[in-house]
Amino acid sequence: MNIIPWDLGAIPSRFFLFGEAAWYTVQITGLGVLLGLVIGLVVALGRLSSYRPISAVSRAYIFLIRGTPLLVQLFIVYYGLTSIVTIAPIPSAVIALGVHNGAYIAEIFRGSIQSIDYGQMEAARSLGMPKGRAMRRIVLPQAFKRAVPSIGNQLIIALKDSSLASTIAVPELMLRGRQMGSSTFMYMEMFIIVGIWYLLMTSVLSFVIHRIETRLKVSDRD
Amino acid sequence: MTEQEQQKKQIKRKKKETIDPNAPFLRIEKLNKFYGDLHVLKNVSLSVKKGEVVVIIGASGSGKSTLLRCVNFLEKSKDGKIFIEGKRIRNQESQLNKVRQNLGMVFQHFNLFPHMTVIQNVMEGLVQVKGVPKDKARKKALDLLEQVGLSDKADVYPAMLSGGQKQRVAIARALAMDPKIMLFDEPTSALDPELVGEVLTVMTDLAKQGMTMVVVTHEMWFAKEVADRVVFMDDGIILEEATPEKMFSAPEHERTLEFLKQVLPPQDSE
């Protein structure tokens, strides 16, 4: 008779049955954050625009998205939009994750752009560089560098948030865990496996982010 | 349009374009600048001739840096006019980007681009603004670095340089655009005392080569030795303009004398 009421031996033996699901998690997170980076940059520049309507739209976007749960956004994309357009589960998850993370990444970018000494923009402008190009050549490269730690943090949050996609039938880790749990009745074992997979992936991400950070420090500090 | 009218128009245009050789290179006319309620520049007018070195002195807060920054529109003045080679400069993006290429600016805090190497800093304007091919730009940048005595630092990042070296790179970066006038905004104020000399030397050389310069500085030595004209600003106005000899030996205003007493070391009586 086991002291522990669970069959822990099932963990290593079933571990790799979750590989494909983990790959789905990686894909929707990766694509979602990629979309989020694009949205984030556009919205950040919009917020910083001196043209009122654009900065107002950007602010409204951040207000709405940050103020509502990802799950609501996910359901709006997957279920809510069906009367206009039907979007398959995986694209729905990518869109919702992208839109959601876009708002947070926009704030990260805005903060890092504003943290760059205004003298950088002035120096570029004093060479006769137009504003847009000064932003692209001088301010943004420095701002991106400063944004790396926060973006990395956001990426880890997004990876875990992607588990919500299980609610719209994306065959990712969390859904796989629920299915495996109900078919074997080994819920604890299966969710421990799911947890370990997430932990593995977030550890790899942390490591990679840390490596990027140290590499970027070369030219830094003045 | 009749032929006559066309001719008239052409003449008019020509008149606009020809430059009066005696016209000042830079003319600032009745500039006013406010920060909120604070009136920092009060009807300031100033002219600078080609090849002239004008040094602006004055206590901090007297508006000297603001005046300099208004010249290339880093600060927008409320009213007043700025003419370069007789041509009125308007606050218009497209025109400003062109005009600024002729106005080299050197900042108190250098403002080098930290994500670029020294030579990339110097090349940036040439490549990105003037569209010079990279190999040509590199050659020119190396020449300029040589001129400021830093050719051995071409491939390091600004973070590796001392303040004096940074400022010399910043001067080279501004010179790369072949400016017709150089504006220096307290170029040595952020430097350790022992590094001031190397920057002033580069500036002195530049003045000797005939560069038109407007320099805001607290280095009275530079004003005395290099300036053709010294301008004393006080509380948003130009209180006094004179040759360095006159300014430092017999200023007209009590306020100027007071300021000079404070910044000049007491004369050793020997």
Side-chain angles (χ1 to χ4, degrees), chain A residues 117 119-120 122-131 133 137-138 141-142 145 218-222, chain B residues 69 72 74 93 97 100-101 103 105 107 111-116 124 128-129 157 159 166 173 177:
Chain A
D117 178 14
Q120 290 290 311
E122 287 189 338
R125 301 305 306 278
S126 78
L127 294 173
M129 221 184 262
K131 203 173 184 181
R133 189 163 331 150
R137 293 278 312 167
I138 306 301
Q142 298 179 58
K145 209 189 249 188
V218 181
S219 69
D220 241 8
R221 272 188 260 274
D222 44 346
Chain B
R69 293 164 55 82
N72 66 355
L74 287 179
E93 274 301 305
N97 291 335
R100 281 181 178 140
Q101 295 177 38
L103 306 169
M105 180 91 177
F107 299 87
N111 298 351
L112 290 182
F113 307 133
H115 59 303
M116 298 180 182
E124 181 67 9
Q128 290 297 323
V129 180
Y157 284 96
K166 280 182 194 170
R173 178 177 68 180
M177 304 302 286

Side-chain angles (χ1 to χ4, degrees), chain A residues 193-205:
Chain A
I193 292 175
V194 169
I196 292 172
W197 271 103
Y198 278 114
L199 206 54
L200 271 176
M201 292 190 287
T202 52
S203 305
V204 170
L205 279 181

Side-chain angles (χ1 to χ4, degrees), chain A residues 81-215:
Chain A
L81 291 181
T82 40
S83 50
I84 308 167
V85 59
T86 311
I87 307 173
I90 292 174
S92 292
V94 169
I95 291 168
L97 278 169
V99 166
H100 183 77
N101 284 286
Y104 286 92
I105 291 171
E107 286 295 88
I108 293 170
F109 279 155
R110 180 179 67 93
S112 61
I113 289 170
Q114 283 179 324
S115 79
I116 302 300
D117 178 14
Y118 195 66
Q120 290 290 311
M121 180 54 103
E122 287 189 338
R125 301 305 306 278
S126 78
L127 294 173
M129 221 184 262
K131 203 173 184 181
R133 189 163 331 150
M135 184 55 94
R136 190 161 51 80
R137 293 278 312 167
I138 306 301
V139 177
L140 285 183
Q142 298 179 58
F144 285 150
K145 209 189 249 188
R146 262 181 219 185
V148 164
S150 309
I151 296 291
N153 197 38
Q154 193 59 40
L155 186 56
I156 287 172
I157 293 172
L159 185 92
K160 294 183 291 177
D161 280 353
S162 73
S163 59
L164 288 174
S166 63
T167 59
I168 58 165
V170 175
E172 48 69 75
L173 265 180
M174 191 64 198
L175 184 64
R176 183 77 176 142
R178 276 165 57 193
Q179 287 168 344
M180 291 289 283
S182 62
S183 65
T184 61
F185 292 105
M186 291 192 287
Y187 283 103
M188 179 58 102
E189 293 84 342
M190 294 308 136
F191 285 123
I192 286 176
I193 292 175
V194 169
I196 292 172
W197 271 103
Y198 278 114
L199 206 54
L200 271 176
M201 292 190 287
T202 52
S203 305
V204 170
L205 279 181
S206 299
F207 176 76
V208 171
I209 294 157
H210 186 75
R211 281 287 297 271
I212 294 174
E213 272 178 56
T214 39
R215 192 174 295 180

